[in-house]
Amino acid sequence: MTARPAPGDLLRIDGRASVQFAGGRALTLRVVSTSDRQAYDGWIWLTGYVIDRRGNATAKREIYVQLAGLRPAGSTLPQSVRLVRPSARRRRAVVDR
């Protein structure tokens, strides 16, 4: 990926994006914002939420990664997972009862 990610993008962050995310340290990130902070050419600061296998946000992170190493995460989550905002889930649960 060479274009700047946009808020809402779901990315797979692994060793291609930065060595700190190699192997078992890879993660899926829902982008909240991109920073205009000074960075080396081809690198970017991203803020987002780490998404677990069930589609839940588990932690907010700010990471420094290479644009060329970013990959869309569409195929890394199970097909049955729908990512919805927590407030929407709670509202639906109340309506279904």
Side-chain angles (χ1 to χ4, degrees):
M1 174 178 279
T2 55
R4 286 175 75 95
D9 287 352
L10 188 63
L11 302 174
R12 183 66 180 167
I13 309 295
D14 58 18
R16 292 176 288 200
S18 176
V19 294
Q20 66 182 332
F21 300 109
R25 300 184 75 187
L27 55 89
T28 301
L29 186 85
R30 172 75 66 188
V31 177
V32 173
S33 65
T34 59
S35 177
D36 290 329
R37 251 195 293 187
Q38 186 71 13
Y40 288 108
D41 190 36
W43 289 75
I44 189 170
W45 284 97
L46 297 176
T47 301
Y49 287 95
V50 176
I51 305 297
D52 68 12
R53 293 176 190 246
R54 298 175 69 196
N56 298 317
T58 59
K60 188 172 185 178
R61 297 272 307 261
E62 184 176 36
I63 61 175
Y64 188 59
V65 292
Q66 294 183 66
L67 280 171
L70 299 178
R71 304 285 183 266
S75 62
T76 62
L77 292 175
Q79 293 288 337
S80 60
V81 172
R82 283 190 353 198
L83 300 177
V84 295
R85 292 177 305 203
S87 60
R89 266 192 300 227
R90 274 188 243 117
R91 218 178 354 218
R92 185 171 38 247
V94 170
V95 172
D96 290 343
R97 288 184 185 168

